[in-house]
Amino acid sequence: MRECIDRFVTVLANKEHVFQLVKKLDLVLKIEADHGIHYLLFRDGKVSYCQFSSPNGNIVTISGNDAYLEQLLDGDLKLMHGVKMNYFKTDCPFRVQLVLESLFYLTKPIPL
């Protein structure tokens, strides 16, 4: 799971046109997987992995099993579809879900 998160952060930082969405975000994404909890911090136009969350800021959660979360982070599975199919549970407001879905989908690696 950590590898998928690191890959997502790296690819996102390299896609300047997608990174425009990140500049407007100020939240902590809590990813609850089967084998641990991971945090992504979206703040000040940057995305970073965190070991733990500070109580400051807007915290949103996506929870599910490792396989589906990896597909989400790789852009192979859409967030809204996963929620509809009960692959994920989320407490994100609808607008935040749309932004996160866009980020996950647009950072999908281009097949060679």
Side-chain angles (χ1 to χ4, degrees), residues 26-96:
D26 185 20
L27 62 89
V28 177
L29 174 60
K30 179 179 177 183
I31 301 171
E32 294 179 350
D34 293 335
H35 294 97
I37 297 175
H38 308 274
Y39 296 93
L40 279 175
L41 177 65
F42 295 87
R43 187 159 293 142
D44 299 327
K46 297 177 186 172
V47 180
S48 58
Y49 177 84
C50 301
Q51 292 293 334
F52 58 91
S53 171
S54 64
N56 302 349
N58 185 16
I59 300 175
V60 296
T61 305
I62 297 174
S63 58
N65 77 24
D66 289 345
Y68 289 130
L69 288 169
E70 287 178 10
Q71 288 180 17
L72 176 68
L73 289 166
D74 288 337
D76 295 329
L77 181 62
K78 292 185 178 181
L79 179 61
M80 302 296 243
H81 179 73
V83 169
K84 184 188 282 188
M85 299 302 292
N86 291 322
Y87 299 154
F88 310 118
K89 291 183 182 176
T90 181
D91 66 356
C92 304
F94 184 70
R95 287 181 182 251
V96 173

